[in-house]
Amino acid sequence: QVQLVESGGGLVQAGDSLRLSCVASGFTFRRTSMGWFRQAPGKEREFVSFINWSNGWTSYADSAKGRFTISRDNAKNTLALQMNSLKPEDTAVYYCAGGWSGGPYSQQRSFNYWGQGTQVTVSS
Protein backbone atom coordinates (compact mmCIF):
# COMPACT_ATOMS: atom_id res chain seq x y z
CA GLN A 1 0.00 0.00 0.00
CA VAL A 2 1.43 3.33 -1.05
CA GLN A 3 1.70 5.94 1.68
CA LEU A 4 3.09 9.44 1.79
CA VAL A 5 3.04 11.04 5.22
CA GLU A 6 3.93 14.71 5.57
CA SER A 7 4.97 16.46 8.74
CA GLY A 8 6.68 19.62 9.89
CA GLY A 9 4.02 22.23 9.23
CA GLY A 10 3.01 24.82 11.77
CA LEU A 11 2.35 28.44 12.62
CA VAL A 12 5.33 30.75 12.18
CA GLN A 13 6.03 34.43 11.70
CA ALA A 14 7.14 36.07 8.49
CA GLY A 15 10.86 35.58 8.00
CA ASP A 16 10.97 32.30 9.91
CA SER A 17 11.92 28.90 8.55
CA LEU A 18 10.23 25.50 8.45
CA ARG A 19 11.35 22.10 7.26
CA LEU A 20 8.70 19.78 5.86
CA SER A 21 9.24 16.05 5.63
CA CYS A 22 7.47 13.32 3.70
CA VAL A 23 8.03 9.67 4.52
CA ALA A 24 7.23 7.31 1.67
CA SER A 25 6.35 3.62 1.71
CA GLY A 26 4.82 1.05 -0.58
CA PHE A 27 6.87 1.87 -3.66
CA THR A 28 10.50 2.11 -4.73
CA PHE A 29 11.22 5.60 -3.48
CA ARG A 30 14.81 5.75 -4.71
CA ARG A 31 13.63 5.30 -8.30
CA THR A 32 10.73 7.73 -8.12
CA SER A 33 10.83 11.42 -8.88
CA MET A 34 8.99 13.47 -6.29
CA GLY A 35 7.44 16.87 -5.88
CA TRP A 36 5.86 19.34 -3.52
CA PHE A 37 2.64 21.20 -4.20
CA ARG A 38 0.59 23.58 -2.08
CA GLN A 39 -2.98 24.78 -1.89
CA ALA A 40 -4.01 28.04 -0.30
CA PRO A 41 -7.61 28.67 0.81
CA GLY A 42 -9.83 29.35 -2.16
CA LYS A 43 -7.09 28.63 -4.67
CA GLU A 44 -6.09 25.72 -6.83
CA ARG A 45 -3.26 23.43 -5.88
CA GLU A 46 0.00 24.73 -7.31
CA PHE A 47 3.46 23.41 -8.00
CA VAL A 48 6.25 24.24 -5.57
CA SER A 49 9.23 22.02 -6.34
CA PHE A 50 10.42 18.83 -8.05
CA ILE A 51 13.38 16.50 -7.69
CA ASN A 52 14.42 13.91 -10.24
CA TRP A 53 15.25 10.44 -8.93
CA SER A 54 18.12 9.62 -11.27
CA ASN A 55 20.37 12.67 -11.07
CA GLY A 56 18.91 14.82 -8.32
CA TRP A 57 17.99 17.59 -10.73
CA THR A 58 15.62 20.08 -9.11
CA SER A 59 13.12 22.69 -10.20
CA TYR A 60 11.23 25.38 -8.33
CA ALA A 61 8.25 27.62 -8.86
CA ASP A 62 9.25 31.26 -9.17
CA SER A 63 7.67 31.91 -5.78
CA ALA A 64 10.01 29.36 -4.17
CA LYS A 65 13.28 30.09 -5.94
CA GLY A 66 16.02 31.26 -3.62
CA ARG A 67 14.01 30.51 -0.48
CA PHE A 68 13.01 26.83 -0.65
CA THR A 69 15.23 23.78 -1.07
CA ILE A 70 13.98 20.32 -1.96
CA SER A 71 16.03 17.27 -1.01
CA ARG A 72 15.71 13.54 -0.59
CA ASP A 73 17.25 10.84 1.57
CA ASN A 74 16.84 7.56 -0.26
CA ALA A 75 18.17 5.57 2.69
CA LYS A 76 15.29 6.87 4.80
CA ASN A 77 12.65 7.05 2.04
CA THR A 78 12.20 10.68 2.93
CA LEU A 79 11.56 13.81 0.90
CA ALA A 80 12.14 17.21 2.49
CA LEU A 81 11.39 20.84 1.77
CA GLN A 82 13.43 23.45 3.61
CA MET A 83 11.56 26.75 3.57
CA ASN A 84 13.36 29.93 4.58
CA SER A 85 12.30 33.57 4.68
CA LEU A 86 8.67 32.56 4.83
CA LYS A 87 6.02 35.06 3.76
CA PRO A 88 2.31 35.27 4.58
CA GLU A 89 1.58 34.31 0.98
CA ASP A 90 3.28 30.96 1.62
CA THR A 91 0.34 30.03 3.86
CA ALA A 92 -1.16 26.84 2.44
CA VAL A 93 -1.53 23.12 2.88
CA TYR A 94 1.62 21.53 1.50
CA TYR A 95 1.40 18.18 -0.25
CA CYS A 96 4.03 15.62 -1.06
CA ALA A 97 3.60 14.00 -4.49
CA GLY A 98 5.15 10.83 -5.84
CA GLY A 99 4.89 8.34 -8.63
CA TRP A 100 5.76 10.82 -11.35
CA SER A 101 4.43 9.53 -14.66
CA GLY A 102 6.88 11.42 -16.82
CA GLY A 103 4.49 14.20 -17.77
CA PRO A 104 4.94 17.88 -16.98
CA TYR A 105 6.26 17.85 -13.43
CA SER A 106 4.52 21.11 -12.56
CA GLN A 107 1.10 19.57 -13.09
CA GLN A 108 -0.79 17.54 -10.53
CA ARG A 109 -1.94 15.00 -13.11
CA SER A 110 1.64 13.87 -13.60
CA PHE A 111 1.76 12.34 -10.10
CA ASN A 112 0.00 9.20 -8.95
CA TYR A 113 0.60 9.33 -5.20
CA TRP A 114 -0.34 12.05 -2.73
CA GLY A 115 0.01 12.64 0.97
CA GLN A 116 -2.66 14.07 3.22
CA GLY A 117 -0.95 17.44 3.48
CA THR A 118 0.52 19.52 6.26
CA GLN A 119 -0.66 23.03 7.12
CA VAL A 120 1.78 25.92 6.99
CA THR A 121 0.58 29.25 8.32
CA VAL A 122 2.76 32.34 8.17
CA SER A 123 1.65 35.39 10.14
CA SER A 124 2.73 38.91 9.28
Side-chain angles (χ1 to χ4, degrees):
Q1 179 182 359
V2 171
Q3 277 196 314
L4 294 174
V5 180
E6 302 99 332
S7 62
L11 172 62
V12 298
Q13 294 187 332
D16 286 351
S17 298
L18 276 177
R19 184 176 180 84
L20 306 184
S21 293
C22 171
V23 178
S25 61
F27 63 98
T28 307
F29 178 79
R30 67 181 184 277
R31 290 188 175 273
T32 303
S33 296
M34 302 289 294
W36 286 98
F37 287 73
R38 68 185 184 185
Q39 187 167 18
K43 296 187 176 181
E44 293 188 355
R45 194 172 298 187
E46 65 177 9
F47 168 74
V48 176
S49 186
F50 172 86
I51 185 166
N52 185 279
W53 74 270
S54 62
N55 58 11
W57 179 82
T58 59
S59 180
Y60 298 90
D62 287 344
S63 59
K65 285 179 183 176
R67 300 188 300 126
F68 294 3
T69 302
I70 190 171
S71 62
R72 63 191 300 157
D73 184 338
N74 289 335
K76 297 182 179 180
N77 280 10
T78 300
L79 180 73
L81 185 69
Q82 177 67 41
M83 304 187 295
N84 299 328
S85 302
L86 283 162
K87 305 174 182 180
E89 50 263 44
D90 294 320
T91 294
V93 177
Y94 283 72
Y95 296 91
C96 172
W100 180 54
S101 65
Y105 57 77
S106 62
Q107 297 186 16
Q108 298 181 59
R109 61 180 174 83
S110 297
F111 293 87
N112 295 311
Y113 312 141
W114 292 88
Q116 82 290 347
T118 185
Q119 176 71 48
V120 172
T121 304
V122 185
S123 63
S124 57

